[in-house]
Amino acid sequence: MPELPEVEVLTRHLRPLLLGKTIRGVIVKRAKVLRPTTPGKFRRTLLGAKFTGLSRRGKYLRFQLDGGAAGGRVILVGHLGMTGRMFLTRDPECWPVHAAVILDLGGESFIFEDTRYFGRLTLDGSVTEKLGPEPLGGDFQPATFARALRRSRQAIKVRLLDQMLVAGVGNIYASEALFRARLSPKRAANKLTARQIARLWKAIRRVLFEAIRWGSTVPLNFVGVKSDGLFYFGRAPGKPDFYEERLRVYDRKGQPCVNCRRPIRRIIQAARSTFYCPRCQRG
Ligand SMILES: [Zn+2]
């Protein structure tokens, strides 16, 4: 499931490809992904609009467009859900079976594919307004982070998944950050010391920064269904383990810890898997 780094890499990849392009046609195949926007409103608003910006907020992509039928500026918000993908193709034969939305850009198409339809491509931007600070931005400060943690008795791993605490951290990077910070995922958020919180703050930033840098080095050569590079997972074609190799605990149940060689343990917290080293993460 794509988290902040994967979405950041995708944003950087799509931005130069989309800027300046005008939407000449809109095909909606799965209206569910637009919700609460209706297909009619979606089409009317976007037809004739030109892409003028693309940024990321948490796990969301924010496409900025100008000059559509409505006249003014439009923000289109995208979320990849579990398995969503966004890419451009010049070949109509590359339109995948699960294409949810296709935007005709004249000679090429922007595709939003979502096999499980948990993703979104909508004109409703309210969800991004409720997000907490960007972990790699200046608003994410140890002092405010500490205050927010002190108010909660939830296990720290579960707390980190709250997008209002910090935007963009999901199941993978929550486990990874706790390992780097040598903290038990089961520790109550309000029981962490100031020193531990500072360590966690730093670890969150480091794992995300490294993942972006790593993902950015993967060649983004996806051209449609024929060559599936799965670039948003940072996985190179034909190298299924490319991405996992840099993760230290996530999805490594039973494998030796990179520090102490004890087996990595998997537990369930709030219906999600947590991976950790019981020896290294005793803080
Ligand atoms: Zn260990």
Side-chain angles (χ1 to χ4, degrees), residues 179 257-262 264 277-281:
F179 177 75
C257 168
V258 295
N259 282 346
C260 73
R261 314 307 293 168
R262 294 274 180 94
I264 296 298
C277 174
R279 178 159 189 194
C280 295
Q281 295 177 250

Side-chain angles (χ1 to χ4, degrees), residues 2-257:
E3 298 180 22
L4 184 153
E6 292 75 28
V7 179
E8 177 64 28
V9 170
L10 177 62
T11 301
R12 292 180 189 184
H13 170 70
L14 288 176
R15 190 183 293 127
L17 301 177
L18 284 174
L19 287 194
K21 303 270 167 71
T22 300
I23 298 176
R24 302 179 191 282
V26 176
I27 301 170
V28 176
K29 295 196 161 207
R30 305 282 169 176
K32 186 186 164 191
V33 303
L34 310 182
R35 285 192 313 203
T37 308
T38 62
K41 187 185 178 196
F42 190 80
R43 236 179 255 120
R44 280 196 307 279
T45 309
L46 292 180
L47 263 181
K50 184 195 275 187
F51 284 97
T52 53
L54 174 57
S55 57
R56 179 194 55 72
R57 182 78 176 91
K59 300 178 202 170
Y60 294 85
L61 298 102
R62 284 170 56 90
F63 302 88
Q64 181 187 304
L65 297 107
D66 281 295
R73 174 156 298 181
V74 174
I75 300 292
L76 180 63
V77 174
H79 191 282
L80 296 168
M82 304 282 284
T83 55
R85 294 194 291 183
M86 295 177 184
F87 58 93
L88 276 80
T89 178
R90 293 186 170 275
D91 183 0
E93 285 181 22
C94 283
W95 290 5
V97 179
H98 295 285
V101 177
I102 299 161
L103 304 176
D104 174 12
L105 305 177
E108 62 187 331
S109 305
F110 170 86
I111 313 275
F112 175 42
E113 178 195 19
D114 191 7
T115 52
R116 291 166 73 178
Y117 310 114
F118 289 125
R120 280 286 179 278
L121 193 63
T122 178
L123 297 170
D124 175 32
S126 58
V127 65
T128 61
E129 287 153 22
K130 295 176 203 140
L131 294 173
E134 281 293 323
L136 297 176
D139 290 343
F140 185 53
Q141 291 294 330
T144 41
F145 184 50
R147 269 199 299 280
L149 293 182
R150 248 172 253 139
R151 286 194 296 266
S152 172
R153 276 183 294 189
Q154 259 184 329
I156 183 61
K157 156 63 178 13
V158 178
R159 192 76 194 89
L160 285 177
L161 301 182
D162 180 352
Q163 300 299 296
M164 290 196 281
L165 173 73
V166 51
V169 175
N171 214 34
I172 297 171
Y173 297 103
S175 279
E176 291 295 314
L178 287 166
F179 177 75
R180 305 284 184 108
R182 306 191 304 279
L183 295 175
S184 165
K186 294 183 272 191
R187 174 63 62 94
N190 63 357
K191 290 285 193 290
L192 292 172
T193 65
R195 188 173 290 201
Q196 289 173 328
I197 291 172
R199 224 158 62 206
L200 179 58
W201 178 85
K202 208 168 162 184
I204 290 169
R205 290 168 61 95
R206 201 169 57 210
V207 292
L208 295 174
F209 178 78
E210 284 176 9
I212 291 170
R213 199 173 51 187
W214 187 283
S216 301
T217 63
V218 176
L220 305 184
N221 61 352
F222 180 73
V223 291
V225 288
K226 286 170 190 164
S227 161
D228 191 338
L230 286 175
F231 58 74
Y232 57 86
F233 280 107
R235 185 180 293 186
K239 290 186 180 174
D241 295 329
F242 191 73
Y243 172 78
E244 284 80 1
E245 278 170 14
R246 71 187 166 79
L247 296 177
R248 297 185 187 177
V249 284
Y250 186 80
D251 212 16
R252 295 193 69 238
K253 183 193 170 190
Q255 293 180 47
C257 168

